[in-house]
Amino acid sequence: MKAALLLRERLVLASDTFAELVVWRVPHPISGSVHSFKYRLALVVEERCVLRYDNEAGRGDHRHVGADEQPVAFTSIDELLAAFWLDVAAWRKPE
């Protein structure tokens, strides 16, 4: 089985803000992950990535919030997307 693209979207949220969502089903878990998905969920503001969830090889499931990196507990793609959108809402919430 080859990798299968499940989701590829770029959603414009404002004139200077977009979200890019990319999810692949892979034949074997990526090094550091225990599931069969490869993903990148990113929020870009003024041409700078301010929030990103990914599972690059060897580093497992994690998110970047600004310069900070934190592990993420992966349960499902739906739960991962929900967590990402909650973080996006928090990021965009006026203070």
Side-chain angles (χ1 to χ4, degrees), residues 1 3 6 10 15 20 44 77 82:
M1 172 180 128
L6 301 178
R10 181 178 230 177
S15 61
E20 185 171 77
V44 178
I77 288 295

Side-chain angles (χ1 to χ4, degrees), residues 17-90:
T17 306
F18 67 88
E20 185 171 77
L21 315 170
V22 181
V23 179
W24 294 85
R25 181 180 303 278
V26 293
H28 306 287
I30 301 297
S31 173
S33 295
V34 296
H35 53 80
S36 295
F37 297 97
K38 172 75 176 140
Y39 60 86
R40 179 182 71 251
L41 314 173
L43 176 65
V44 178
V45 178
E46 296 178 353
E47 299 182 20
R48 187 173 66 92
C49 183
V50 297
L51 171 67
R52 186 174 76 246
Y53 282 55
D54 64 49
N55 64 332
E56 59 191 278
R59 299 190 61 197
D61 302 290
H62 61 280
R63 70 181 183 162
H64 304 263
V65 181
D68 190 30
E69 184 177 317
Q70 306 156 347
V72 170
F74 181 94
T75 55
S76 72
I77 288 295
D78 289 339
E79 291 292 324
L80 187 75
L81 287 166
F84 173 75
W85 286 116
L86 282 174
D87 280 350
V88 168

